Amino acid sequence: MPIDKNPTIENIKNVISTCALIFSVVMIMGLIFSEQTGLAQDVHPILALVCLWTAVIWLSFVEGGQASLVGLAPVDRTLYEESHTIAAKCCKIAHTGDSLDRYLLGRQFMVVFIVFTINISGGPVADAELWGLPDILITIFLGTGLAMILFTTMIGQLNSQVNASHCMLDYLNTYPNYFTLCVAMGIEFSGLVHASYVIQMLVAAAAGEEIESNEANKSPLQNLFFFSRCIMSIGVLAFAFTVTLVALFDGRTTMWESVPPGVAVILFFLLMCVVGLLEGMQIAFFAVAKLRPEDRGESPWAKRTCALLFRGNGFNLSGFMIGRQLCVVSCMFFIARVTSLDIDPEGGDTLWGVKPGTQKFLNMGFLGALITTIVASIAWQLVASAFPIAFLSNPFTYIFLRICLFLEATGICNGAYVIAMIHKHFAGFQRDEVYIGTAEERAEKAKRDNYTNLHLGTGHIVKLPGFQDDAPARLKHLLKTDESVRQYLNSALADMKDGKVDNTDLHLDSDSEGGRGNKAVEETEEVDV
């Protein structure tokens, strides 16, 4: 992929993508007010409208908040605790002990839960029609779910990630972000997704490694409370699977009537595998990004995948992340359709004779959200964190990387950049360097970044920070031109992960072989890359 994209082509993509988004929003609003969505049909269009926009706006806070909290983890909080008090309050909670891991676990369920809510509120019912539009438009935008995918991805996810990746402090410095953090921590504390910890322990045992923690060992009482929630979570997960599979085999879900029950069950597990593969890929890709090419496995598929992923300056990695977002959201909407029960309790028809109120709750599909969170998302990320090379050594990883890069190249989600630009302008966001300086400037003030708040490796689902993107221009130039510098930094980052050196010791010694790079930094002019 070329370093510089053609501005004219990108502007054309921006216009087309934005127009497609506007058309999608208009269609979804039309469906709601004509009572052709699940919630609008069963309850009231106004409720569906409120739930839809509340959910998609909240999703933007969930996605942007994660980028900010993970990105700010290494930064000394004293640098911004006076200028951004709410952001500092959020970081104090998230960056204490193992709280960041807990937040990410609760946040994962929030994302799936919100996407399922968006589907209920704005997803079209079967055979929906609108304003006499041609069948081909109905099929493309409603039949395939494209309208909902564009709406959710661009408004609810990508635009906030774009702004939060470079304006973390300004983005995080709002009470909705603080509220979202508290809700995510509350979800984790409830124990609803504690089955993920059991998977985490099994994966670590299989890898023969211990899970690193920033907290003291639990007391017997704390262990009792922890494992009781794990057992409860496993029980709830088993119940969710039982209800969903019984409904699928009986043909009592919102799955299309033309799809046989047996095929619906296969699709359910197939879609979860696709979501899991895409979730695990991002963890595996970031895990091998710091490794030398010869250390990325001997499998031909692993070599093909890494060659494509890190081609040129590694721009395909960010391209994959955008295409991946589209694929994951698409699969989640289909899973929501597959797992949402279609049983009318008003006529006395309930599953196993449960009360009508209970049946209405089961019909909402949130049990599918729990299954998707634990089995199709977190479990695969944990496996990928422990076995990244093995994860890359299968043809499906390469195939889906190609698919994601193709989707990004079409520019179908470029409207997200337009929304991000508008939001940034009216919100007055500024880049973080304005407030806290660059990493080099922070180091000169004895406020060097500390990456111990980021738990990496086996049993953790935190993505590595974008080192290459955020490095000084001169250093990026050296990484391209001086092999010794690149090897040194790869080795040092690997040692940091393994705990062999502290990040504060990461420097280039002028007396070492890698010191040629340090001298070159002094002699090289600023280079834009």
Side-chain angles (χ1 to χ4, degrees), residues 246-253 255 259 261 342:
V246 168
L248 280 171
F249 278 114
D250 290 346
R252 305 175 80 182
T253 71
M255 190 64 178
V259 180
D342 186 18

Side-chain angles (χ1 to χ4, degrees), residues 310-378:
F310 303 112
R311 179 184 298 169
N313 289 306
F315 286 93
N316 281 354
L317 182 57
S318 59
F320 158 75
M321 297 301 290
I322 294 173
R324 169 202 160 275
Q325 199 86 56
L326 268 171
C327 289
V328 169
V329 171
S330 303
C331 290
M332 284 187 179
F333 278 130
F334 283 113
I335 292 175
R337 177 176 284 275
V338 171
T339 58
S340 296
L341 276 60
D342 186 18
I343 301 175
D344 184 13
E346 300 298 334
D349 184 19
T350 62
L351 191 67
W352 303 323
V354 299
K355 294 180 180 180
T358 303
Q359 187 60 58
K360 287 183 179 179
F361 172 76
L362 296 177
N363 285 353
M364 298 179 74
F366 293 138
L367 294 180
L370 180 66
I371 296 172
T372 305
T373 302
I374 298 176
V375 179
S377 183
I378 295 173

Side-chain angles (χ1 to χ4, degrees), residues 414-523:
N414 277 30
Y417 300 115
V418 177
I419 299 173
M421 179 183 64
I422 296 171
H423 183 202
K424 181 179 180 180
H425 174 74
F426 283 101
F429 290 158
Q430 297 191 77
R431 294 180 68 94
D432 297 308
E433 290 82 0
V434 174
Y435 305 106
I436 58 177
T438 64
E440 287 179 323
E441 292 169 345
R442 294 194 292 271
E444 290 176 0
K445 297 177 182 178
K447 299 288 185 180
R448 186 184 296 272
D449 292 349
N450 184 355
Y451 285 91
T452 57
N453 286 331
L454 284 175
H455 291 181
L456 309 174
T458 302
H460 299 291
I461 58 178
V462 178
K463 296 178 294 184
L464 287 174
F467 173 79
Q468 181 171 325
D469 291 337
D470 296 332
R474 286 175 295 175
L475 182 54
K476 287 193 283 188
H477 177 69
L478 281 170
L479 287 170
K480 292 169 56 180
T481 59
D482 195 323
E483 179 65 23
S484 65
V485 175
R486 183 160 54 251
Q487 290 182 0
Y488 177 84
L489 288 174
N490 285 335
S491 174
L493 286 170
D495 288 343
M496 282 172 57
K497 173 185 174 295
D498 296 333
K500 296 177 183 178
V501 297
D502 184 77
N503 67 289
T504 56
D505 294 329
L506 184 58
H507 63 278
L508 297 177
D509 188 346
S510 58
D511 295 330
S512 67
E513 181 183 358
R516 296 191 298 110
N518 195 35
K519 182 179 180 181
V521 170
E522 297 173 357
E523 298 176 349

Side-chain angles (χ1 to χ4, degrees), residues 17 63 114 121 123 125 151 237 321 323 362 381 400 503 525:
S17 177
E63 294 288 2
I114 292 172
S121 304
V125 297
F151 173 74
L237 181 62
M321 297 301 290
L362 296 177
Q381 292 183 52
F400 276 96
N503 67 289
E525 296 294 330

Side-chain angles (χ1 to χ4, degrees), residues 227-337:
F227 284 107
S228 63
R229 286 180 291 171
C230 290
I231 294 171
M232 180 270 291
S233 179
I234 293 173
V236 174
L237 181 62
F239 174 75
F241 260 115
T242 302
V243 170
T244 301
L245 290 176
V246 168
L248 280 171
F249 278 114
D250 290 346
R252 305 175 80 182
T253 71
T254 55
M255 190 64 178
W256 294 283
E257 294 181 0
S258 59
V259 180
V263 176
V265 173
I266 294 173
L267 281 175
F268 171 52
F269 284 101
L270 185 62
L271 288 169
M272 286 204 299
C273 288
V274 172
V275 171
L277 181 66
L278 291 166
E279 293 282 13
M281 282 169 66
Q282 66 171 332
I283 300 296
F285 288 168
F286 277 94
V288 301
K290 62 187 180 300
L291 299 181
R292 296 176 299 175
E294 57 267 29
D295 294 332
R296 292 171 180 165
E298 297 298 326
S299 165
W301 288 110
K303 291 180 179 179
R304 287 193 189 98
T305 300
C306 291
L308 175 61
L309 188 66
F310 303 112
R311 179 184 298 169
N313 289 306
F315 286 93
N316 281 354
L317 182 57
S318 59
F320 158 75
M321 297 301 290
I322 294 173
R324 169 202 160 275
Q325 199 86 56
L326 268 171
C327 289
V328 169
V329 171
S330 303
C331 290
M332 284 187 179
F333 278 130
F334 283 113
I335 292 175
R337 177 176 284 275

